[in-house]
Amino acid sequence: MIHLKDFWRTIRRTLTVFILGTTVAVFTCQAINPPFVIKHLGDGQSIVQIDEQKKFLLLPVEEASPEAKLYMIADNDVVRSMNVRLAVNKVDYFVPVDLTGFDNKHLSFNFQLIPDSALCWEEMKLSDEFDVSNREKYRPVYHFSPAYGWMNDPNGMFYKDGVYHLFYQHNPYGSMWGNMHWGHATSTDLVTWEHHGDAISPDALGTIFSGSCVVDKDNTAGFGAGAVIAFYTSASDRQVQSMAYSLDNGKTFKKYARNPILTSTQRDFRDPKVIWHEDTKKWIMVLAVGQEMEIYSSADLKSWTLESKFGEGQGAHGGVWECPDLLELPVEGTELKKWVLVCNLNPGGPFGGSATQYFVGTFDGKRFVNESPAVTKWMDWGKDHYATVTWSNAPAGRAIALAWMSNWQYANDVPTRQYRSANSVPRDLSLYTSEGETYVKVTPSPELLKLRDKGSKKRAFKVDRTYNLDKLLNDNSGTYEIEMTIKNKDADVIGFQLFNSKGEEVEMYYNLAEKTFTMDRTESGEVSFSKDFPAVTVAPVEGGNEMKLRLFVDKSSIEAFGNDGRFAMTNLVFPSEPYNRISFYAKGGSCNVTSFTVYKLGLK
């Protein structure tokens, strides 16, 4: 019996007939009424003509292959272009090209830079379906991840009519960076997400880099009261700023006819964050430009005036500044508010690669002034917290932040294929003061409490003992939250390990003498894909005899929040099986784990 797949492969190949080892005939065989026709033109160029109406052309991808250039053509006009790592020797996975919306038009593809002998010609297929059911053991349960393909920065987040909208940098043609679109998902509770496909796609100005959305309640731009307006970077040889608007609450966008709205001679000129400044009754745009921020103002969201620049001599400058945010936050225990300018940079993070820094100060609608120029402040002390931005128009004046949970040192190489990257859990931001400095407090958003299972276990733990989390949770899924309170007596170091039966572990500990919290993932599981992955990350902590800690553990991440959000640490992990044991220890003295609660987490 010959399988259908093998049959199609056979009839598309050149057949050679041998008699007693002697070649007697060479010929090609073409199927009757094939779904598409492949014509090789030489020098790595081929044309594929689509002769059957289906929803998708499924392209086989091999990530080790170089990128091939594809042009999608409808009635001789190029309607789409993309770069795809087409399979040459083996197939890692398939990606879809959407063929809908071209009724009564003849579709074809021009392939460039792909050899005639490549495996992709035998494996590509037409289909009315594309399977996005999960095939990855490391896909998170309660963190957002794309249905398929690559994801990086969260973009354009806004809240309207009870719905949180999340857009994100998306490559629909592979699980490595490229072909930047804005993917789109929505949620009513920040934990359960519905995928909506890509909202904004590349055009003649370039691919679609990061940006933001606002709700234009008073129709300042003239597109209509309540219009959702997106600002993004169009990226080609140069980076320019563009806009698009939606009249259906973000479901679809129409690009502004007079794009771009802002240009520059600077090469790194991107990631527009737009906010409304109530005191001056103007819109404010913050742009990342090289290693500084530029601040613009506008009355109509179309014409922008440069007001000031910020960055020289401020904070960390180990790499390019990216993904800014500007927001006003309350100071805990006072009636004061201060402005915070968020600045993501890569490289230059405290442990290498990507990280999020921020500045606290004043903003008058024109100029941001940092109140502590000599201090560099980090929002998260892990390796995997980047491109942090907040939701626009969030309810009750909340500042809800989301980060991309990866690092540019190894983001393309983490051991998943169907998709790459997830976002952090949502976090509410506020300010607190310690020893004369004002810092951002990062607290897991209260919506995460909905994930907790009612059968969670609470107890006091003894030091120098190992506990089975499976028994406490009656579960082996590896997705849980731990809340603990540790009271120190006279110990120098208090710590614990999360580990599994394979000997893979993550160790975390407080050093009371040095006033630090450390997470060590060097033995956490699969770490060989990058020399930069097996890391030890350290956060400064405030002194005291009582330490509170919340841990969010998912299939491939651990997020630690200490002392009610006074420090946060986010790190990816890739264990071969879940961490289902925990063991506490103390050095140089003793302590008590006075409260320990472990919650099974999952979507209802």
Side-chain angles (χ1 to χ4, degrees):
M1 177 184 294
I2 184 169
H3 292 288
L4 182 61
K5 178 179 178 181
D6 295 328
F7 171 74
W8 280 106
R9 176 180 296 179
T10 301
I11 63 176
R12 283 201 295 264
R13 282 183 169 174
T14 299
L15 302 180
T16 303
V17 179
F18 291 91
I19 299 179
L20 298 177
T22 303
T23 305
V24 296
V26 178
F27 59 94
T28 60
C29 185
Q30 180 70 53
I32 299 173
N33 297 321
F36 50 77
V37 176
I38 301 171
K39 298 179 179 180
H40 297 304
L41 310 180
D43 296 327
Q45 299 193 43
S46 300
I47 290 177
V48 173
Q49 296 175 321
I50 307 297
D51 290 331
E52 184 175 323
Q53 191 167 356
K54 294 286 186 179
K55 290 183 179 179
F56 303 108
L57 174 65
L58 302 184
L59 298 175
V61 172
E62 181 182 0
E63 290 194 340
S65 297
E67 288 185 328
K69 189 74 175 181
L70 279 68
Y71 295 93
M72 181 176 172
I73 300 167
D75 286 354
N76 301 315
D77 291 324
V78 175
V79 293
R80 198 179 303 163
S81 64
M82 63 208 76
N83 298 311
V84 185
R85 298 178 184 274
L86 289 167
V88 175
N89 301 301
K90 68 183 184 72
V91 178
D92 291 329
Y93 50 82
F94 286 85
V95 294
V97 179
D98 189 349
L99 304 181
T100 59
F102 297 96
D103 295 344
N104 302 317
K105 290 192 175 184
H106 182 267
L107 293 179
S108 61
F109 287 82
N110 186 334
F111 289 72
Q112 298 184 5
L113 305 176
I114 189 73
D116 297 356
S117 60
L119 181 63
C120 64
W121 307 120
E122 300 173 9
E123 296 290 340
M124 71 176 62
K125 62 191 76 173
L126 290 168
S127 177
D128 282 326
E129 296 180 348
F130 178 63
D131 182 14
V132 295
S133 57
N134 183 48
R135 297 184 294 277
E136 294 282 355
K137 72 175 182 177
Y138 292 128
R139 185 185 289 274
V141 171
Y142 58 88
H143 292 78
F144 177 83
S145 60
Y148 70 96
W150 164 273
M151 179 184 78
N152 58 294
D153 308 355
N155 295 158
M157 304 186 305
F158 73 93
Y159 175 86
K160 190 172 188 287
D161 298 337
V163 178
Y164 292 92
H165 291 257
L166 166 64
F167 301 88
Y168 53 92
Q169 291 284 276
H170 185 225
N171 181 5
Y173 306 123
S175 296
M176 302 176 75
W177 185 90
N179 303 299
M180 287 295 96
H181 296 59
W182 271 22
H184 185 205
T186 57
S187 174
T188 58
D189 60 7
L190 290 174
V191 294
T192 305
W193 293 93
E194 180 180 356
H195 295 278
H196 298 291
D198 291 319
I200 304 180
S201 301
D203 56 28
L205 289 176
T207 54
I208 312 301
F209 276 16
S210 294
S212 58
C213 285
V214 298
V215 178
D216 188 11
K217 300 174 183 178
D218 298 323
N219 193 27
T220 60
F223 299 125
V228 176
I229 304 180
F231 299 87
Y232 57 90
T233 299
S234 297
S236 56
D237 290 338
R238 290 285 177 171
Q239 297 175 359
V240 297
Q241 311 316 312
S242 297
M243 66 187 293
Y245 61 94
S246 172
L247 303 181
D248 56 8
N249 285 354
K251 293 179 182 178
T252 60
F253 282 88
K254 181 177 178 60
K255 292 173 181 174
Y256 181 47
R258 294 184 60 82
N259 282 337
I261 58 172
L262 264 179
T263 63
S264 173
T265 59
Q266 298 291 319
R267 285 203 169 271
D268 294 310
F269 180 69
R270 56 178 176 263
D271 309 340
K273 174 66 178 189
V274 177
I275 66 168
W276 174 255
H277 188 249
E278 181 63 28
D279 290 349
T280 57
K281 296 295 190 292
K282 285 187 176 181
W283 296 101
I284 302 298
M285 178 189 290
V286 186
L287 275 169
V289 185
Q291 291 195 6
E292 65 180 7
M293 301 297 183
E294 292 185 350
I295 298 175
Y296 294 78
S297 68
S298 174
D300 62 3
L301 292 169
K302 299 173 181 176
S303 300
W304 294 89
T305 300
L306 177 63
E307 299 288 358
S308 64
K309 299 181 180 182
F310 172 85
E312 185 176 354
Q314 311 281 329
H317 285 267
V320 175
W321 285 16
E322 295 186 306
C323 301
D325 202 344
L326 182 62
L327 59 157
E328 193 176 27
L329 295 176
V331 181
E332 183 181 77
T334 75
E335 295 183 357
L336 299 176
K337 289 186 175 182
K338 293 186 178 183
W339 284 87
V340 175
L341 177 60
V342 177
C343 169
N344 295 272
L345 84 161
N346 174 64
F351 306 104
S354 319
T356 303
Q357 66 177 327
Y358 65 90
F359 310 92
V360 179
T362 60
F363 178 66
D364 61 2
K366 294 179 178 291
R367 187 178 304 276
F368 177 84
V369 178
N370 178 17
E371 68 180 22
S372 303
V375 181
T376 299
K377 299 176 180 179
W378 302 103
M379 190 174 291
D380 189 285
W381 293 87
K383 287 275 289 186
D384 300 302
H385 180 274
Y386 191 59
T388 312
V389 286
T390 59
W391 261 275
S392 173
N393 200 46
R398 293 169 62 188
I400 310 170
L402 199 68
W404 175 47
M405 202 160 53
S406 196
N407 190 306
W408 279 115
Q409 289 181 325
Y410 43 73
N412 276 295
D413 304 316
V414 297
T416 63
R417 288 286 177 84
Q418 183 185 22
Y419 79 101
R420 275 200 178 87
S421 299
N423 287 329
S424 69
V425 294
R427 307 161 182 215
D428 278 45
L429 306 182
S430 59
L431 296 173
Y432 73 97
T433 300
S434 176
E435 298 180 355
E437 283 289 343
T438 304
Y439 298 96
V440 170
K441 176 183 279 191
V442 181
T443 308
S445 295
E447 286 83 354
L448 295 169
L449 297 174
K450 294 177 58 177
L451 295 169
R452 291 177 174 179
D453 184 84
K454 293 181 180 180
S456 302
K457 305 293 185 180
K458 182 175 182 178
R459 62 181 296 175
F461 271 24
K462 294 182 180 180
V463 178
D464 299 325
R465 291 278 300 273
T466 297
Y467 295 88
N468 188 327
L469 296 176
D470 290 348
K471 289 184 178 180
L472 290 174
L473 295 169
N474 193 27
D475 177 73
N476 191 30
S477 65
T479 59
Y480 51 85
E481 176 192 352
I482 294 175
E483 273 190 314
M484 67 176 76
T485 300
I486 303 172
K487 285 191 176 181
N488 184 38
K489 292 183 179 179
D490 52 6
D492 297 324
V493 176
I494 301 168
F496 59 93
Q497 294 106 358
L498 288 173
F499 61 99
N500 59 26
S501 66
K502 304 293 186 182
E504 299 163 346
E505 70 171 32
V506 177
E507 183 175 13
M508 287 167 260
Y509 57 90
Y510 287 93
N511 186 313
L512 284 307
E514 298 179 1
K515 295 184 178 180
T516 58
F517 174 84
T518 297
M519 187 184 302
D520 182 344
R521 70 173 182 196
T522 56
E523 304 293 333
S524 58
E526 176 56 62
V527 299
S528 63
F529 55 86
S530 169
K531 65 179 178 58
D532 295 307
F533 190 80
V536 178
T537 56
V538 183
V541 299
E542 298 173 22
N545 292 327
E546 184 173 275
M547 290 147 284
K548 294 181 179 180
L549 190 65
R550 287 180 73 183
L551 296 177
F552 287 84
V553 181
D554 208 336
K555 295 289 188 180
S556 52
S557 63
I558 298 177
E559 292 163 277
F561 299 88
N563 295 341
D564 299 318
R566 291 196 171 204
F567 76 84
M569 184 178 289
T570 302
N571 284 314
L572 294 177
V573 289
F574 298 98
S576 58
E577 63 181 37
Y579 304 123
N580 59 0
R581 300 288 192 276
I582 188 169
S583 179
F584 289 91
Y585 67 87
K587 295 180 181 179
S590 61
C591 69
N592 290 322
V593 183
T594 59
S595 176
F596 182 97
T597 309
V598 56
Y599 303 92
K600 177 183 175 181
L601 297 187
L603 300 177
K604 303 297 188 291

